[in-house]
């Protein structure tokens, strides 16, 4: 922990309105907390909130929402905030209702956002994003008229003059950003958007001055930087998000990326941000199954090439990883986008040396990216206030109440923490000897070990807030009603559903809880009944982890990433999967299995299971289970699956015994939340959201 103290460039954080100067010699995070001085702009630490597409502008009261969203992160002491992408013109919008900043834009909203951030001592940069051929609307343009594999819209190829006018449009947006009070702009040059599309020989087959040779292909981004600098003037931060590794065929090699970065620096970039992989890449880049700091080798390649500072991004969610990276000199700043959704006060807690109190982003994507991909606004599973700041009251409740909450799963724990934060006196009863509920099973699934951080956070906060914890205590309705509580909250969760199949009590049958808790060893041939999220998770557990959570080399090998950066796009052949258990996942319905998996993570799980040889059987009618295995009809045809074990992952039912008993007592203030209230389609997003809103209403 900690790096060479000599690296610390201690400058006075002049913009630190209201922030106490930390004793940097005493902290565990001296590098993360070191201020940085660009000469014309000072940053109070090295923690950057990365740009995120939130779609908050599509909700009611967008100005208020965006202002409070950014204010909370600046108050939480993020040094530099990068906004979500604003398009420089209509063609460049990501989708039809995506925001544009051009000469017709009213700057009131922007002034409100920048004013809020500055008032909290933060700095804010507007991201300029031209979506290129990823734009999901008919005005979509690109270097050629070849459609992106992840978009149904065919782009119109930009003419040469139009490329020059696009450069001018981006420059004009930068000038307007300065007028609106931003401290700089980030030019989005990665993830396969327009500027990135021009740099790749695969997507840029033009024969004008913007295509052909390497110099021609990088002309658009380089000229963009020059034009932005000229239009916005000096003393205005120019951040460029460079693709450090494209992860698509025809992308740049590491040597080309280094040359490109030097050309951008010469054109006027003050600070590089790092992007990993195009959106169409078949390699996971930010999901929880990606080891922390896995892309460090690609970030370091840019860091070695340039003399201006570099921001590291992708899979930094705890301060320890960022601190180590900076201490090693692999980057100068750490960008965290989702972690600032999960905890707006991330940077403040680092300064206070309270890393265990950080509500850690667990990389699930369930309420952020998956919401965006389904045309909803972004929030966060572990922090439902994210993006909804204006809907939650700040501070203490008017009246302090005595509250009992039963159940120590996600719903019960988040209720207890939020209620205690509101000043209520909270007692939490949990029948097991440990907190966590279903989280204790989820965290056993390979690629989901980040759930451990969620448990650590809740445990820490329950302790800090003085919630009275009763573990191993099965409390009765009578005890609760006679306890003198002002409110009783039932969060007893769910029980696994047992389907009505002949032979369901055969010794070869196990529930997913038996398997994930490690209580029941499994044989070599396993049938999984149920193809929901848990069925897939159990299959992943059964085929074994291809790489351990921290094994970056194993992860890169499995996904065919060339860590030497010698190949174009940084791709190589993936390693062949190990031969392991034979697993089949079964569902009664017709149609593709895995339909309920997260949009941004389901494909990763499915690809991994496919490679491990897991079979999917659909249209199954279960007949019986006996010593020979599982007898069923598949598409009407009889089949015997000769398996050693059958694992039941057939959904859950609410555990409502206590809720029903309390209802019978007529107690005036009983609330049932999470799985105990509704088991179907239960997920932790809804459970935590319900719990937090209830706590804030008391
Ligand atoms: P689920 O998604 O409701 O899936 C249950 C599966 O069991 C379905 O495939 C269903 O399909 C089958 N089934 C239902 N009743 C059955 C019966 N009587 N006999 C045989 N099969 C039956 O439930 P889950 O997998 O337990 O997951 C619970 C929740 O956890 C999910 O809704 C999800 O939100 C969350 N979760 C999410 C993820 C994720 O990837 N984001 C991962 C894990 C859990 P058929 O009826 O077609 O057979
Ligand atoms: Fe992180 Fe999940 Fe929250 Fe997204 S929803 S910010 S991935 S914890």
């Amino acid at each position: 922990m900690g790096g060479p103290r000599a690296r610390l460039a201690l400058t006075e954080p002049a913009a630190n309105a209201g922030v106490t100067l930390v004793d940097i010699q005493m902290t565990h995070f001296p590098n993360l907390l070191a201020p940085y001085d660009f000469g014309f702009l000072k940053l109070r630490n090295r923690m950057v909130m990365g740009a995120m597409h939130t779609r908050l502008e599509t909700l009611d009261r967008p100005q208020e929402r965006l202002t409070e969203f950014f204010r909370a992160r600046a108050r939480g002491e993020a040094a530099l905030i990068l906004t979500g992408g604003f398009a420089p013109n209509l063609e460049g919008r990501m989708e039809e209702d995506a925001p544009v900043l051009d000469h017709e834009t009213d700057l009131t909203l922007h002034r409100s956002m920048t004013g809020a951030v500055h008032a909290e001592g933060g700095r804010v940069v507007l991201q300029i994003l031209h979506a290129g051929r990823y734009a999901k609307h008919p005005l979509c343009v690109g270097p050629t008229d070849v459609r992106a594999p992840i978009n149904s819209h065919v782009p119109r190829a930009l003419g040469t003059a139009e490329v020059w006018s696009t450069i001018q449009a981006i420059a004009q947006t930068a000038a307007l950003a300065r007028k609106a009070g931003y401290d700089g702009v980030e030019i989005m040059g990665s993830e396969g958007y327009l500027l990135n599309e021009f740099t790749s020989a695969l997507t840029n087959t033009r024969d004008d001055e913007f295509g052909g040779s390497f110099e021609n292909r990088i002309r658009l981004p380089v000229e963009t930087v020059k034009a932005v600098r000229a239009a916005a003037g000096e003393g205005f931060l120019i951040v460029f998000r460079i693709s450090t590794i494209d992860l698509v065929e025809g992308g740049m090699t590491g040597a080309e990326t280094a040359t490109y970065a030097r050309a951008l620096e010469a054109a006027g970039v003050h600070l590089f941000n790092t992007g990993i992989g195009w959106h169409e890449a078949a390699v996971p880049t930010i999901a929880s199954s990606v080891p922390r700091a896995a892309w460090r080798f690609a970030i370091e390649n840019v860091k070695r090439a340039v003399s201006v500072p570099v921001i590291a991004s992708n899979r930094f969610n705890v301060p320890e990883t960022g601190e180590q990276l900076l201490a090693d000199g692999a980057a100068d700043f750490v960008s965290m986008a989702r972690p600032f959704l999960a905890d707006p006060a991330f940077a403040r807690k680092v300064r206070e040396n309270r890393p265990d109190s950080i509500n850690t982003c667990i990389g699930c994507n369930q309420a952020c990216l998956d919401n965006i991909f389904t045309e909803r606004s972004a929030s966060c599973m572990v922090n439902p206030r994210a993006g909804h700041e204006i809907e939650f009251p700040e501070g203490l409740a008017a009246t302090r109440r005595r509250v009992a909450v039963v159940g120590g799963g996600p719903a019960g724990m988040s209720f207890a923490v939020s209620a205690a934060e509101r000043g209520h006196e909270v007692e939490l009863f949990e029948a097991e000897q440990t907190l966590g509920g279903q989280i204790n099973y989820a965290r056993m699934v390979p690629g989901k070990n980040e759930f451990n951080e969620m448990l650590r956070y809740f445990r820490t906060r329950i302790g800090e807030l003085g919630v009275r914890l009763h573990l191993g205590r099965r409390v009765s309705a009578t005890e609760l009603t006679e306890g003198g509580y002002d409110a009783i909250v039932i969060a007893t969760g769910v029980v696994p559903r047992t389907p009505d199949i002949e032979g369901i009590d055969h010794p070869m049958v196990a529930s997913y809880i038996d398997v994930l808790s490690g209580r029941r060893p499994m044989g070599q041939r396993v049938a999984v009944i149920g193809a929901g999220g848990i069925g897939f998770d159990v299959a992943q557990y059964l085929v074994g982890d291809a790489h351990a959570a921290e094994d970056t080399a194993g992860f890169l090998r499995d996904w065919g990433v060339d860590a030497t950066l010698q190949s174009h796009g940084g791709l190589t052949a993936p390693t062949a999967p190990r031969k392991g258990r034979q697993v089949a996942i079964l569902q009664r319905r017709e149609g593709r299995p895995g339909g309920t998996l997260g949009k941004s993570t389901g494909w990763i799980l499915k690809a991994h299971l496919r490679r491990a040889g897991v079979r999917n059987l659909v249209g199954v009618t279960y007949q019986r289970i006996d010593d020979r295995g599982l007898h069923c009809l598949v598409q009407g045809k009889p089949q015997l699956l000769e398996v050693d074990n059958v694992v039941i992952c057939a959904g859950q039912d609410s555990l409502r015994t206590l809720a029903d008993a309390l209802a019978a007592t007529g107690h005036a203030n009983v609330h049932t939340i999470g799985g105990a209230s509704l088991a179907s389609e239960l997920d932790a997003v809804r459970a935590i959201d319900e719990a937090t809103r209830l706590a804030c209403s008391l």
Side-chain angles (χ1 to χ4, degrees):
M1 176 56 56
R5 297 265 154 97
R7 285 195 61 254
L8 296 178
L10 273 176
T11 55
E12 197 64 27
N16 256 3
V19 176
T20 318
L21 260 183
V22 66
D23 181 349
I24 219 146
Q25 297 301 319
M26 297 298 291
T27 176
H28 290 131
F29 306 104
N31 290 281
L32 279 177
L33 291 165
Y36 192 92
D37 191 352
F38 283 92
F40 59 90
L41 183 81
K42 290 174 179 165
L43 299 180
R44 56 186 162 187
N45 60 51
R46 307 301 180 91
M47 289 168 273
V48 174
M49 174 174 153
M52 258 175 301
H53 187 37
T54 60
R55 302 188 89 244
L56 293 186
E57 64 283 348
T58 64
L59 303 183
D60 62 325
R61 298 151 70 193
Q63 179 170 321
E64 222 183 313
R65 275 182 193 278
L66 281 159
T67 302
E68 296 315 314
F69 175 73
F70 287 116
R71 189 197 305 280
R73 275 77 199 165
R75 186 173 290 162
E77 301 180 16
L80 181 67
I81 290 174
L82 311 177
T83 68
F86 282 77
N89 55 24
L90 291 179
E91 290 84 8
R93 287 167 304 162
M94 189 61 211
E95 52 202 10
E96 228 132 32
D97 53 2
V100 176
L101 178 55
D102 64 10
H103 62 280
E104 288 181 10
T105 309
D106 177 0
L107 299 183
T108 313
L109 174 139
H110 294 276
R111 291 198 170 111
S112 168
M113 279 160 38
T114 56
V117 172
H118 290 153
E120 299 291 344
R123 298 294 190 177
V124 58
V125 151
L126 178 109
Q127 188 191 70
I128 308 177
L129 165 70
H130 192 304
R133 66 180 198 147
Y134 284 165
K136 294 194 179 337
H137 54 74
L139 295 182
C140 162
V141 294
T144 70
D145 60 3
V146 177
R147 188 176 62 81
I150 55 169
N151 195 2
S152 58
H153 293 278
V154 178
R156 183 176 61 77
L158 285 169
T160 306
E162 285 179 305
V163 180
W164 285 109
S165 56
T166 302
I167 293 171
Q168 283 316 311
I170 295 173
Q172 185 196 41
T173 299
L176 288 166
R178 186 163 203 174
K179 224 169 132 188
Y182 289 100
D183 300 290
V185 287
E186 177 178 72
I187 302 167
M188 177 39 128
S190 63
E191 330 301 289
Y193 293 118
L194 185 78
L195 270 54
N196 211 177
E197 287 157 14
F198 269 78
T199 63
S200 162
L202 196 73
T203 45
N204 181 354
T205 51
R206 302 169 67 96
D207 55 10
D208 63 357
E209 67 237 53
F210 292 103
S213 67
F214 178 77
E215 288 67 29
N216 281 359
R217 280 185 278 119
I218 67 169
R219 192 180 306 283
L220 166 58
V222 168
E223 290 300 327
T224 300
V225 172
K226 286 184 194 164
V228 164
R229 187 124 184 200
E234 293 305 307
F236 188 69
L237 192 69
I238 300 179
V239 187
F240 190 93
R241 186 150 190 197
I242 187 169
S243 182
T244 61
I245 180 167
D246 291 328
L247 298 175
V248 288
E249 279 179 31
M252 283 194 188
T253 63
E256 285 173 336
T257 304
T259 307
Y260 173 43
R262 283 190 286 269
L264 290 165
E265 182 181 357
V269 169
H270 298 116
L271 174 62
F272 279 96
N273 195 1
T274 46
I276 312 290
W278 290 29
H279 285 318
E280 66 200 64
V283 178
T285 57
I286 59 167
S288 63
S289 53
V290 179
R292 292 173 182 172
W295 306 106
R296 176 181 163 140
F297 67 97
I299 295 161
E300 277 180 302
N301 179 47
V302 173
K303 171 72 185 151
R304 278 192 299 270
V306 298
S307 59
V308 293
V310 173
I311 307 174
S313 84
N314 283 48
R315 285 298 281 133
F316 291 95
N317 64 336
V318 294
E320 290 80 1
T321 321
E323 177 65 22
Q324 190 62 57
L325 184 93
L326 300 193
D328 295 347
D332 305 277
F333 291 86
V334 179
S335 166
M336 291 166 285
R338 295 172 300 165
F340 274 103
L341 272 186
D343 196 335
F346 186 106
R348 177 166 56 74
K349 290 175 183 174
V350 170
R351 177 177 60 76
E352 293 168 346
N353 241 339
R354 297 170 55 218
D356 282 353
S357 304
I358 292 174
N359 196 1
T360 302
C361 162
I362 60 167
C364 65
N365 291 350
Q366 279 177 248
C368 52
L369 283 185
D370 288 348
N371 274 17
I372 294 298
F373 290 154
T374 47
E375 298 192 357
R376 292 173 288 168
S377 68
S379 186
C380 171
M381 177 164 99
V382 300
N383 174 26
R385 291 177 174 85
H388 299 277
E389 284 75 11
I390 61 173
E391 298 161 37
F392 289 88
E394 290 267 338
L396 299 178
T399 312
R400 179 175 160 86
R401 297 184 197 282
R402 276 196 70 216
V403 189
V405 52
V406 187
M413 291 191 295
S414 53
F415 174 82
V417 167
S418 291
E421 282 172 346
R422 299 264 294 141
H424 298 304
E425 187 186 334
V426 183
E427 286 187 57
L428 171 56
F429 297 89
E430 164 57 49
E432 300 292 328
Q433 290 294 344
T434 179
L435 287 170
Q438 298 285 313
I439 297 175
N440 287 315
Y441 309 117
R443 69 196 180 92
M444 303 314 291
V445 176
K448 289 197 162 181
N449 60 309
E450 292 285 4
F451 273 91
N452 285 316
E453 300 294 347
M454 192 171 164
L455 265 183
R456 183 264 309 144
Y457 166 75
F458 280 125
R459 282 194 189 124
T460 306
R461 289 299 285 151
I462 282 169
E464 283 178 342
L465 291 158
V467 171
R468 278 186 64 197
L469 191 55
H470 305 275
L471 289 178
R473 179 86 188 281
R474 202 172 284 277
V475 69
S476 70
T478 315
E479 284 172 282
L480 289 168
T481 48
E482 290 175 357
Y485 299 107
D486 301 313
I488 300 169
V489 177
I490 303 302
T492 43
V494 292
V495 280
R497 181 180 296 137
T498 306
D500 185 16
I501 302 172
E502 189 185 328
I504 194 74
D505 49 4
H506 190 280
M508 76 159 68
V509 180
S511 82
Y512 69 88
I513 289 182
D514 295 328
V515 177
L516 294 177
S517 62
R519 285 198 292 262
R520 287 281 304 273
M522 291 285 107
Q524 279 304 103
R525 301 163 307 165
V526 184
V528 175
I529 290 187
I534 290 179
F536 274 82
D537 277 354
V538 164
Q540 171 88 333
Y541 178 88
L542 290 172
V543 295
D545 194 5
H547 57 271
E550 318 75 31
D551 177 12
T552 295
F555 163 78
L556 298 174
R557 268 198 314 273
D558 285 355
W559 287 95
V561 178
D562 170 20
T564 69
L565 294 172
Q566 283 170 1
S567 64
H568 281 278
L571 293 176
T572 181
T575 46
R578 288 176 291 135
K579 285 270 172 261
R581 273 201 184 90
Q582 293 166 35
V583 177
I585 308 177
L586 285 64
Q587 75 177 34
R588 297 175 301 183
R589 266 168 299 169
E590 298 288 348
R592 279 167 53 164
T596 58
L597 299 178
K599 278 245 182 260
S600 63
T601 50
W603 68 272
I604 303 168
L605 190 51
K606 284 191 265 184
H608 187 239
L609 295 183
R610 212 169 25 246
R611 277 165 31 91
V614 172
R615 288 196 301 152
N616 287 292
L617 300 180
V618 301
V620 178
T621 307
Y622 306 110
Q623 294 181 308
R624 70 179 182 284
I625 301 162
D626 61 22
D627 291 346
R628 294 171 65 204
L630 173 61
H631 301 257
C632 50
L633 302 176
V634 181
Q635 312 284 331
K637 292 199 183 99
Q639 268 204 29
L640 166 62
L641 301 182
E642 293 180 88
V643 291
D644 305 308
N645 291 102
V646 175
V647 184
I648 307 298
C649 305
Q652 295 93 9
D653 295 315
S654 297
L655 190 51
R656 296 190 51 93
T657 325
L658 190 57
D660 292 343
L662 275 167
T665 69
H667 190 287
N669 209 349
V670 179
H671 308 267
T672 306
I673 57 171
S677 146
L678 182 66
S680 70
E681 293 301 312
L682 171 75
D683 61 41
V685 177
R686 181 166 61 73
I688 296 176
D689 184 77
E690 238 176 65
T692 312
R693 286 179 192 274
L694 175 63
C696 290
S697 72
L698 288 181

